[in-house]
Amino acid sequence: MQRCDVCLDLDRFSDDRWKLSIKADLTDEYSFQFESSRLGDSVDAGCENCSIVKRGLELISRNLSLFDVSQIYRGRFILQPDSPLEVEILNEEEKKEYEEGEEFEATGCARVQFYTLPGKDLGCRGGTGPFSNARDVLPELSAEKCSSIAFDWITRCRTDHEACTATEVEANNLPRRLLDLKQREGAAVALVETQDDAHCHVGQDRGLSVQYATLSHCWGKAHVIQTTKENLALRMQGIEWAHLPKTFQDAITIVRALDIRFLWIDSLCIVQDDVQDWKEESVRMAIIYSNGYINIAATGASDSRGGCLSPRSLKHVIPTCDVRSFAINVPKDPQESIIFVRPSLERTHQRYSSRRRSELDLPDSQTVPLLSRAWVFQERHLAPRTLHFHPSEMIMECKSSLCCECSGLDNVVARVRNPTPNVESTDRADLFTAWFDVVEEYSKLRLTRQSDRLPALTGVASVFQRKIGCGYLAGIWKDDIARSILWDVTRYECIRSERSVRRHVSAPTWSWASLTLDNEGSGIMFPAGHDDTFRVDDQFRFVDTDVPFAATDLSIVGAKFVLLHGLSATATAHPRSPEDAAWKDLVLVFEQDVEDAVLVTAMEMDFDCTWKSPNHCPLKVGCTVYCLLVGNKINTDWESGQRTQYQCALVLRQSVANVCLFERVGVISIVGHSGIFQRKDELSFKLI
């Protein structure tokens, strides 16, 4: 039989016209473009594959209105190893680029998947063919169905994943309070003190611990039911079902279906107006979430009213559409629907399996609000298992793998974004690098109170500290201070928000936690931390600090200092031209005595703010700054192979309050052959 020249028989090995690309999760993707008119001609010529695709696209167009199949369109066949066929319809801009022969990253106005159900085989089409197996995603999930799926995932996790069962829960490591979900007359649940409740110590003499679940949820702007000093006694008598918001009700229903008696919810299990109680429990987050059996995540809810068990939809596409599948009858067997078509869940999967997302994706705050919140970061990464109630499908991430309802994540090796930080390594260098990954991801997330920037990471930091075994300095490790303190700010032109990156007073200026990162997507990066050529300068060293070394000590507020020593050069801040004195055009001007002349060198620096924050510039025109040399790196030109040495330095200014103290204002990379640091003195700087 002659090969179809439109779909290439949906066999990526049959023709070298299949284009290979590497996805963000480092898996392979093969694609081949087609035109709708040629697809129709191929159907008329008898290609069964093209016929199935054409009918599937018509079903999606007619039922979900993602695109108009009656108009001329272009698309791509997409094949991925061990995954069903996907077809992407290109949008108008991509169609234009396609016509002009340009390279582009397709994001598509619609992407759909063609699949068969497990056990429904029709020759080569079931199992491993282009229309391979996937599981259905129900339009709406019940607690019973949820618990059935989750039981299977949890059982496999506990049986097969050594990393997920490595830590045994100790009875005395229970949270101070838990919600007892046992059915009782007149109340849905009751708050109990675990030290005093006999059911929390069942089996303790046999070394067994009580299982409990935790809840990750967005408080949002809606009022959240809370425990206070005034109502604590009433909460322990019982809380009526009607008084609980939908997210709490759904979580309780799910946890009961999983046959777990106790649940921890922050707003109810911590006395919210008791500063001491909040402080004691917040520093125990690592214990609370690490020792939990399962963490329930209301991923798609923006506040406590959103719930977990809601109708499914794809929120990352415009317009939002339902997650529904439609049967396509195969001509060979019209009595049995064996191939289904539905909107692709690829974008949902990418959010969990990789760090990178398409710039055209809607921000997390609109699609998955929970994943945009900083407090939730440690909850996800500390819990042995987190069950996400994503708007599209249920997903479970553990320390070893990812699972989802449709099965698309089951075989993904998350090599770009591991489900949890690599804290199992015994190599300190690996742990330091893993910490950079943690901060880079965490710093992009949002906080209601900027003073929580460090407290919201305390749990993860304490886990790292136990492994690393060195002092923790406001988000920076003492034994890796050179690479850590050269942090910088991402500056993306595509950021949608007009809000600024600026200082706040809850952390010292030398800590990345001192910045308010209101631009969704902007964050902290560690260029020296990811550069294998970086070497600490021989003269640079850490001298002293008044920061408490313990990650769980939250007394780091305001002007805590670190004393650093190294080679120093002075410079003056000048505008590029006298006509334009805008601060964003400031450069640092260095003056060097060379025999009988003065060599003047102007260099750019990276400020600790973005170009969108003109009212928060850390420097004034004409002021003097100090550049403290921290280390050196080598840049290699990929075309010529030429190697250039750069000197990496902190840019400091004298504090307005005390000229003996210094504040960080940014970083600078100086070409080594410029001689800026030649014959310079070694100085010590007390940074606040």
Side-chain angles (χ1 to χ4, degrees):
M1 183 176 177
Q2 186 176 2
R3 184 183 64 192
C4 175
D5 203 43
V6 175
C7 70
L8 303 183
D9 289 348
L10 298 180
D11 181 1
R12 60 188 172 92
F13 299 109
S14 67
D15 197 295
D16 59 10
R17 284 178 289 177
W18 286 98
K19 179 181 177 182
L20 170 64
S21 58
I22 307 299
K23 300 194 304 177
D25 60 14
L26 299 185
T27 55
D28 298 341
E29 181 176 275
Y30 294 84
S31 63
F32 182 69
Q33 295 177 349
F34 67 89
E35 301 178 39
S36 59
S37 58
R38 293 198 65 208
L39 186 67
D41 293 341
S42 178
V43 172
D44 294 339
C47 177
E48 189 176 339
N49 287 335
C50 289
S51 176
I52 292 171
V53 169
K54 186 172 184 294
R55 280 181 286 148
L57 293 177
E58 289 170 349
L59 283 168
I60 291 292
S61 175
R62 182 167 61 249
N63 290 282
L64 297 181
S65 303
L66 289 179
F67 68 102
D68 187 356
V69 77
S70 67
Q71 302 295 316
I72 296 175
Y73 61 89
R74 289 188 172 89
R76 299 191 305 154
F77 299 109
I78 300 172
L79 295 175
Q80 303 171 25
D82 303 317
S83 298
L85 169 73
E86 301 213 346
V87 175
E88 188 169 55
I89 307 304
L90 305 183
N91 58 38
E92 291 300 319
E93 183 63 30
E94 291 166 347
K95 282 166 50 178
K96 179 182 176 182
E97 292 171 329
Y98 172 77
E99 291 168 352
E100 296 174 354
E102 298 180 12
E103 291 288 329
F104 62 91
E105 179 185 357
T107 54
C109 63
R111 181 162 170 157
V112 300
Q113 183 185 68
F114 295 80
Y115 68 100
T116 55
L117 293 175
K120 295 291 184 179
D121 234 347
L122 184 63
C124 66
R125 285 201 168 77
T128 60
F131 306 102
S132 57
N133 293 160
R135 294 190 292 262
D136 271 338
V137 175
L138 298 176
E140 191 163 357
L141 189 66
S142 67
E144 291 72 25
K145 183 63 176 176
C146 155
S147 63
S148 174
I149 297 170
F151 265 129
D152 181 51
W153 290 347
I154 294 170
T155 300
R156 281 185 294 166
C157 173
R158 300 189 74 199
T159 302
D160 302 336
H161 300 163
E162 183 178 348
C164 302
T165 56
T167 304
E168 293 296 329
V169 182
E170 298 179 10
N172 60 357
N173 273 341
L174 289 173
R176 180 175 179 178
R177 302 178 192 88
L178 286 170
L179 292 170
D180 187 349
L181 308 189
K182 180 184 177 181
Q183 297 281 4
R184 65 196 69 225
E185 184 177 350
V189 297
L191 192 65
V192 296
E193 295 275 354
T194 56
Q195 288 293 327
D196 302 331
D197 190 87
H199 296 97
C200 292
H201 301 281
V202 173
Q204 186 174 356
D205 56 339
R206 289 171 289 157
L208 301 177
S209 58
V210 171
Q211 290 179 348
Y212 65 91
T214 54
L215 175 66
S216 289
H217 66 106
C218 283
W219 285 41
K221 296 181 179 179
H223 172 72
V224 180
I225 183 173
Q226 301 175 22
T227 294
T228 63
K229 294 176 183 177
E230 183 179 0
N231 64 27
L232 176 59
L234 291 175
R235 295 278 185 259
M236 300 185 73
Q237 293 177 22
I239 307 172
E240 295 182 16
W241 187 259
H243 293 167
L244 297 168
K246 179 172 170 41
T247 296
F248 292 13
Q249 291 178 349
D250 285 353
I252 291 168
T253 302
I254 294 164
V255 172
R256 280 173 172 165
L258 290 171
D259 199 25
I260 300 172
R261 178 164 177 172
F262 296 99
L263 173 64
W264 189 87
I265 301 178
D266 53 2
S267 68
L268 291 175
C269 295
I270 299 176
V271 181
Q272 296 299 313
D273 60 351
D274 187 329
V275 175
Q276 187 61 30
D277 191 69
W278 185 91
K279 183 177 180 180
E280 290 175 357
E281 293 302 288
S282 63
V283 299
R284 297 183 72 248
M285 288 298 180
I287 294 173
I288 292 172
Y289 280 93
S290 297
N291 288 346
Y293 183 77
I294 186 77
N295 181 40
I296 306 298
T299 309
S302 59
D303 58 42
S304 60
R305 300 169 297 185
C308 302
L309 304 173
S310 304
R312 266 61 183 284
S313 64
L314 291 177
K315 290 189 174 182
H316 59 261
V317 299
I318 300 175
T320 298
C321 74
D322 297 335
V323 179
R324 284 193 287 160
S325 59
F326 306 93
I328 307 171
N329 290 326
V330 178
K332 288 183 179 179
D333 190 1
Q335 300 303 313
E336 183 177 5
S337 298
I338 193 162
I339 296 179
F340 295 83
V341 62
R342 67 179 169 204
S344 169
L345 294 165
E346 172 72 9
R347 293 281 184 84
T348 298
H349 299 161
Q350 286 291 316
R351 181 60 184 82
Y352 289 87
S353 64
S354 70
R355 286 193 180 92
R356 290 192 293 116
R357 293 181 295 144
S358 168
E359 292 180 358
L360 300 180
D361 280 351
L362 293 172
D364 283 349
S365 58
Q366 295 182 32
T367 56
V368 279
L370 189 73
L371 300 188
S372 72
R373 308 304 300 179
W375 272 106
V376 175
F377 176 87
Q378 69 175 358
E379 297 169 7
R380 289 175 59 200
H381 290 286
L382 291 171
R385 291 165 287 272
T386 294
L387 194 62
H388 289 271
F389 289 85
H390 190 281
S392 304
E393 61 176 334
M394 188 170 65
I395 293 170
M396 190 180 87
E397 60 180 349
C398 64
K399 297 182 183 299
S400 305
S401 69
L402 295 161
C403 305
C404 66
E405 281 182 74
C406 77
S407 75
L409 279 172
D410 292 9
N411 297 317
V412 170
V413 179
R415 289 173 289 182
V416 175
R417 181 197 173 279
N418 292 322
T420 57
N422 181 24
V423 295
E424 301 306 316
S425 174
T426 56
D427 189 310
R428 293 182 94 217
D430 290 343
L431 291 167
F432 287 136
T433 301
W435 179 256
F436 295 145
D437 293 337
V438 164
V439 174
E440 287 174 354
E441 184 176 357
Y442 170 78
S443 63
K444 297 175 184 177
L445 305 178
R446 307 176 75 178
L447 282 164
T448 301
R449 294 188 296 269
Q450 290 304 318
S451 58
D452 288 345
R453 180 64 61 187
L454 287 172
L457 195 58
T458 297
V460 174
S462 62
V463 172
F464 269 82
Q465 189 167 40
R466 284 198 296 272
K467 289 285 186 176
I468 293 175
C470 78
Y472 177 75
L473 309 174
I476 289 173
W477 299 105
K478 171 182 170 293
D479 291 359
D480 195 33
I481 194 168
R483 294 194 305 163
S484 302
I485 208 161
L486 287 171
W487 55 265
D488 199 0
V489 184
T490 58
R491 296 168 175 84
Y492 298 131
E493 295 289 337
C494 63
I495 290 173
R496 298 170 176 84
S497 172
E498 291 298 322
R499 290 182 290 184
S500 303
V501 173
R502 59 191 184 278
R503 294 283 189 198
H504 63 81
V505 298
S506 296
T509 65
W510 47 265
S511 168
W512 54 264
S514 66
L515 295 188
T516 298
L517 301 168
D518 280 340
N519 291 330
E520 184 159 1
S522 67
I524 299 298
M525 58 181 178
F526 296 88
H530 299 294
D531 191 331
D532 292 338
T533 71
F534 179 81
R535 297 293 181 270
V536 181
D537 187 75
D538 291 340
Q539 279 69 46
F540 176 82
R541 65 179 184 272
F542 166 85
V543 180
D544 194 14
T545 185
D546 65 345
V547 178
F549 279 157
T552 54
D553 192 324
L554 301 181
S555 62
I556 171 66
V557 176
K560 295 290 184 178
F561 77 85
V562 290
L563 186 61
L564 303 178
H565 182 88
L567 290 175
S568 170
T570 58
T572 307
H574 283 283
R576 293 177 188 274
S577 62
E579 292 78 19
D580 186 5
W583 78 263
K584 63 182 179 182
D585 293 315
L586 286 180
V587 294
L588 298 188
V589 175
F590 296 85
E591 295 183 359
Q592 300 166 265
D593 293 328
V594 181
E595 296 180 351
D596 295 331
V598 176
L599 177 63
V600 177
T601 307
M603 296 184 184
E604 294 182 350
M605 65 165 288
D606 289 335
F607 289 99
D608 290 344
C609 53
T610 63
W611 62 270
K612 289 183 178 179
S613 48
N615 296 325
H616 300 279
C617 174
L619 292 182
K620 294 182 179 179
V621 172
C623 72
T624 299
V625 298
Y626 300 81
C627 297
L628 174 62
L629 179 59
V630 178
N632 306 273
K633 65 179 182 179
I634 303 293
N635 282 7
T636 303
D637 185 273
W638 68 273
E639 288 185 338
S640 66
Q642 181 177 351
R643 292 160 59 87
T644 305
Q645 182 193 42
Y646 283 86
Q647 296 174 307
C648 308
L650 292 176
V651 182
L652 314 173
R653 70 172 181 189
Q654 286 181 316
S655 170
V656 176
N658 187 335
V659 294
C660 295
L661 303 176
F662 294 83
E663 299 173 358
R664 173 186 153 135
V665 292
V667 290
I668 189 170
S669 292
I670 300 172
V671 179
H673 60 68
S674 65
I676 295 298
F677 289 100
Q678 287 183 1
R679 296 186 298 276
K680 296 298 182 183
D681 294 329
E682 294 183 35
L683 296 175
S684 294
F685 293 90
K686 197 171 187 178
L687 278 64
I688 58 171

